[in-house]
Amino acid sequence: MALTGVLRAGFVQFRVLEMDEAINHYVDHIGLDLVEKADDGRVYLSGYDEFDRHSIVLREADAPGVDFMAFKVAGDADLDAFEKRITDFGLEVDQVAADEQPGVGRRIGFVLPSGHRIELYAEMARSDNGPITENPDVWRDDPRGMRALGFDHCLFYGPNVAEVCRFFTEALDFSLTEMVETPDGPIAVWLTSSTKTHEVAFVDHPDPGKFHHVSFVLESWNDVGHAADIVSRYDISRDVGPTRHGITRGQTIYFFDPSGNRNEVFCGGYTYFPDHPTRVWTPDQLGKGIFYYEKELNDRFLGVVT
Amino acid sequence: MSECFTVTVEESGAQFSCLDGERVLIAMEHQGLKHIPIGCRGGGCGTCRVRVTGGRYRTRKMSRAQVSEIDEQTGYALACRLIPESDLTLRLAGDGPGV
Ligand code: FES
Ligand SMILES: [Fe+2]
C-alpha cells in the first residue's frame, strides 16, 4: 500500500437546530442515505458511493456548528504512532472508546491551535448500502436529490493558521497543496493526505472553532447545475455559485442547511501527488482564487460561519 | 386573504411589508432590500441579529450562541427566524450575543 498513515477525511459530527428539517435537507435534497437514528438522538448518514458505514453525524443542539472532524488512518498501530507524534508536537491527546459511535473503533482526539477538535480512527464497519464490488453496477438504487457521492472535506475558520499547517504537515504527514500567503505568513491553507486537492482547509479568523462549510462530492459539472436547480426549486438558502474556484479548480455551489451551516457540493479539481509543489496565492489575487469567474469575494462568504 | 404587517427599521426609517407567517429577513430580501444584513437565513450565524423595539412577534428556534436567553427576553432576535404578529419596529443589533 503506497498510501499510509492518515488516509482521508472520514466523518464529521456537527450540530443542527431541528433534526427533522436537517434530515429532509441532507437525505432528500443532498441525497445522502439515512443509516441510523441512534437512541442518544444522533443521526448517522452516508453517501451511496462510500464503503464505510457513515460519514456525517448530526446532533440536535441549541446552536449549530461543528463538534469535530475525524480522519481515517490505515491501521490500529497508526493510532499509537500518531498519539506519540501529536503529544511530541505539544497537543494533548485523549481517548474515545470503540462504539462511542456505532460501528466505529477506538478514536484518539485533540484540539488544534485553531480551536477545532480533530479525531483519528482506524476501523469502521462497512456500509450496508455501499458500492457493489462484484460486477459492479454504478449504483444500487437511483441516486436522489443532488446525487452526492459522499463526504469530501471541511473548511474551518479560526486563529493560528500557520501553526495548524505546521501541525498537519509535521505531525500527520499531510501536504500543503495551496495557500494564501501574506508577508506575515499564511492566512489560508489547503491540506491533503491523499491525491485529492484537500481533505481539510483552514482560513484565518479571530474566533476559534468556527465551521465554514462541509463539502460533498458530485460526479460532474452537470450535477452541480442539477444541484443549483434543487436549491432554487426547494428554496434552499443559496450562498454563491454555481461557479469555479481558482484554488483547487473545483466547480462548485454553496448554500446553507436549515440551521445555517454552510454546505458545498462540487466536482473536479486536479490530482495531487506528494512530489508536487505548493501553489501560492497572493492576497491581491484572492478574489480570483476563491471565485475564478466573478474574481471578487463577497462579504457573506468571508464572514458568515457557525 | 392573509394579513400583511409593516416592518420599520429604525436606523434608516426603511419600511417593508411582511405577510402573516412570513419571516422578516426573507420578506425583506424578496422585496430587493438590504436594510438588514443577510447571512445564512437559518438562525445560525447571527448576521441578521436585531432588537425588536415595538410590536408583537414569535420566533423559530435560534442559535443560543447568537441570542442568549436574556437577549431573547429583552427583544433580541434573528430576523431570519422572526415572524411578526403585528406591525414591528426594530434596530440592527449585529454586535454579537449577550449585549
Ligand atoms: S442570516 Fe444567519 S442567523 Fe439570520
Ligand atoms: Fe470546499
Side-chain angles (χ1 to χ4, degrees), chain A residues 153 198 213 215 254 264:
Chain A
H153 66 267
H198 56 316
H213 68 264
S215 186
Y254 287 90
E264 172 185 39

Side-chain angles (χ1 to χ4, degrees), chain A:
Chain A
M1 183 164 63
L3 193 60
T4 59
V6 177
L7 301 180
R8 62 171 177 275
F11 64 92
V12 56
Q13 176 173 313
F14 58 93
R15 305 182 296 273
V16 298
L17 293 173
E18 289 167 2
M19 188 57 81
D20 289 346
E21 274 188 355
I23 291 174
N24 173 253
H25 176 80
Y26 287 100
V27 173
D28 297 340
H29 296 326
I30 293 189
L32 301 179
D33 293 328
L34 180 62
V35 177
E36 181 182 3
K37 289 186 191 184
D39 291 342
D40 66 2
R42 282 183 292 181
V43 167
Y44 296 85
L45 308 173
S46 70
Y48 77 84
D49 207 33
E50 293 177 316
F51 284 105
D52 283 356
R53 180 185 185 277
H54 63 256
S55 57
I56 297 293
V57 186
L58 305 175
R59 183 170 74 82
E60 191 172 277
D62 266 355
V66 66
D67 283 341
F68 66 94
M69 177 180 182
F71 294 91
K72 192 174 194 187
V73 300
D76 191 74
D78 290 311
L79 294 178
D80 296 326
F82 281 122
E83 176 169 0
K84 174 156 190 345
R85 291 176 63 185
I86 295 162
T87 308
D88 289 349
F89 187 89
L91 302 187
E92 221 173 286
V93 175
D94 61 77
Q95 312 288 327
V96 182
D99 289 321
E100 190 277 333
Q101 290 191 359
V104 183
R106 73 179 180 105
R107 290 135 54 189
I108 61 171
F110 46 92
V111 178
L112 297 172
S114 58
H116 300 89
R117 179 178 172 84
I118 300 292
E119 295 185 351
L120 305 179
Y121 67 103
E123 276 154 29
M124 189 187 290
R126 287 294 195 203
S127 169
D128 293 336
N129 196 37
I132 302 165
T133 51
E134 195 178 319
N135 302 319
D137 276 307
V138 291
W139 29 254
R140 289 175 197 273
D141 305 314
D142 313 14
R144 258 185 326 282
M146 298 181 189
R147 310 191 277 251
L149 297 163
F151 165 52
D152 191 85
H153 66 267
C154 288
L155 192 152
F156 296 127
Y157 271 31
N160 304 312
V161 163
E163 191 64 0
V164 168
C165 183
R166 195 168 74 79
F167 171 77
F168 272 93
T169 53
E170 290 180 12
L172 301 183
D173 298 327
F174 276 56
S175 299
L176 177 63
T177 55
E178 303 210 25
M179 70 169 155
V180 181
E181 196 176 32
T182 71
D184 301 327
I187 53 167
V189 294
W190 283 259
L191 293 153
T192 194
S193 58
S194 68
T195 60
K196 283 158 56 181
T197 55
H198 56 316
E199 302 286 343
V200 66
F202 292 85
V203 172
D204 187 52
H205 189 75
D207 302 328
K210 291 294 177 186
F211 193 22
H212 187 272
H213 68 264
V214 53
S215 186
F216 304 95
V217 64
L218 305 183
E219 234 176 26
S220 72
W221 186 214
N222 272 348
D223 283 310
V224 177
H226 178 63
D229 292 341
I230 288 173
V231 166
S232 276
R233 169 64 181 84
Y234 295 104
D235 279 325
I236 295 171
S237 171
R238 191 178 65 95
D239 187 17
V240 251
T243 183
R244 185 183 180 94
H245 293 304
I247 298 168
T248 77
R249 306 202 302 233
Q251 296 157 319
T252 180
I253 178 170
Y254 287 90
F255 48 90
F256 296 95
D257 80 3
S259 307
N261 296 303
R262 189 186 279 94
N263 298 158
E264 172 185 39
V265 292
F266 83 105
C267 68
Y270 51 79
T271 303
Y272 176 84
F273 286 93
D275 63 319
H276 291 178
T278 299
R279 291 156 156 98
V280 181
W281 295 81
T282 51
D284 60 305
Q285 294 296 308
L286 189 55
K288 188 162 104 176
I290 304 286
F291 300 125
Y292 191 63
Y293 302 145
E294 295 81 356
K295 296 191 179 168
E296 60 182 36
L297 287 165
N298 73 40
D299 289 344
R300 185 164 60 221
F301 192 81
L302 282 185
V304 171
V305 287
T306 55

